[in-house]
Amino acid sequence: MGRRYDTISFLSDLGVEDGHVGVVRAIVRDMAPHVQLVDLSHSIPPYDVRAGSLALARAIGYVPSGVVMAVVDAADRRAVAIEVAGGAGVMIGPDNGLLASAIAMAGGAGRAVVLDSEAHQLASPGAVVPSRDVFAPVAAHLCNGVDLGELGTPVEADLLRPGVVPLPRDEGGGVLAEVLWVDHLGNCQLNIGPDDVAPWGAAEGVRVEVSAGEVVRVAQRVTTAAALGAGSVGLLLDGYGMLALVLDRRSAAEELHLAAGDQVTVRPLAEGDRGPAVTVPVSLRPPR
């Protein structure tokens, strides 16, 4: 017997319009009634492994120990399970790069198997539905104490597909970044952190040039979007430790014409332009 788990954290691109997620929950409930299933998100865009990988990486530091079940673009992909944190958790999902970043953030991979034990899966009346026929029963078996090694063929973790999260690179005295994620408010998270822009100043108010396509703007380092003036662009250290382009109560994505995957160049301003911006109060009086 392996370790028993009592939580499954579930992320997918299955949506909630039909019964896929409900069927997965029903299978887990039937096979492992002691388990609590936590829905991280089922709104990952269909087949968008990159978006799913990033969402899982953002969440992984907050999920309880147990099984993490991630199902994005899973059809016709090899199904795998990987131990993390010395066996405190197991991540299961398709071998398409979806799990790689979260595994790295959880301390790296331990044992890994290809999920090919039909005895631990459900028979399908037709084409295999990975979420229903493979991942749901495997997750339930893990929670019931079935050892990882019984669920499939061992595989070297280094042979699994690598992550799909892009890395920034130096570009003409600046850094070429990419929009990782646009949240519901239109804030644009970049794949750079404070160290990437530290040589140009880290104090609140320091300004940098931001360019994306034909759009070129000056962004000001802020600790909160509320510190920005009307129409001003902020460069904010967000709640995940990444820098994000923000506006105060407006969508930076709309203002800067940005979407996830777009490239953004961030570079220092000329020496005389790096200081804090000056705000001039203006009073408006009605005409006489």
Side-chain angles (χ1 to χ4, degrees):
M1 286 288 288
R3 183 188 304 223
R4 286 172 59 89
Y5 303 102
D6 59 12
T7 304
I8 297 172
S9 300
F10 185 18
L11 176 141
S12 78
D13 62 351
L14 299 174
V16 293
E17 292 80 12
D18 49 37
H20 286 302
V21 170
V23 167
V24 169
R25 295 180 65 92
I27 292 168
V28 171
R29 174 66 180 173
D30 183 52
M31 295 181 62
H34 70 286
V35 168
Q36 181 167 350
L37 198 150
V38 177
D39 294 297
L40 298 177
S41 175
H42 301 298
S43 298
I44 303 301
Y47 315 113
D48 195 337
V49 175
R50 177 183 179 281
S53 176
L54 291 167
L56 188 61
R58 288 192 297 269
I60 197 64
Y62 303 95
V63 301
S65 59
V67 177
V68 175
M69 178 169 52
V71 185
V72 177
D73 190 25
D76 301 318
R77 309 290 185 184
R78 185 169 66 164
V80 294
I82 302 99
E83 272 186 345
V84 295
V90 179
M91 296 191 191
I92 63 175
D95 182 19
N96 58 5
L98 175 66
L99 305 176
S101 293
I103 289 171
M105 295 182 69
R111 291 189 298 163
V113 300
V114 175
L115 297 173
D116 54 11
S117 171
E118 294 183 1
H120 295 92
Q121 300 175 17
L122 300 183
S124 173
V128 172
V129 179
S131 58
R132 179 195 69 192
D133 303 330
V134 180
F135 296 118
V138 163
H141 283 304
L142 284 166
C143 290
N144 287 334
V146 175
D147 185 72
L148 182 71
E150 297 181 39
L151 299 173
T153 304
V155 63
E156 291 292 331
D158 291 344
L159 299 179
L160 301 178
R161 288 289 296 273
V164 293
V165 178
L167 298 175
R169 67 175 189 265
D170 294 337
E171 179 86 2
V175 59
L176 183 62
E178 185 171 312
V179 178
L180 293 178
W181 176 46
V182 177
D183 70 11
H184 184 66
L185 300 176
N187 301 319
C188 300
Q189 184 187 67
L190 304 178
N191 64 334
I192 57 175
D195 291 346
D196 294 298
V197 298
W200 315 327
E204 185 173 7
V206 168
R207 297 185 295 167
V208 296
E209 181 187 282
V210 174
S211 59
E214 297 180 356
V215 177
V216 180
R217 296 286 294 272
V218 172
Q220 178 181 337
R221 290 291 300 272
V222 292
T223 56
T224 172
L228 293 166
S232 297
V233 179
L235 190 63
L236 171 77
L237 183 64
D238 71 10
Y240 300 96
M242 308 300 289
L243 292 174
L245 295 170
V246 301
L247 274 75
D248 183 24
R249 296 181 178 271
R250 292 170 58 199
S251 169
E254 291 183 5
E255 178 82 12
L256 303 175
H257 306 291
L258 290 174
D262 286 350
Q263 292 187 329
V264 176
T265 301
V266 183
R267 57 171 55 93
L269 293 177
E271 285 292 337
D273 295 330
R274 294 189 189 180
V278 177
T279 302
V280 180
V282 178
S283 299
L284 299 179
R285 290 181 290 183
R288 294 181 179 177

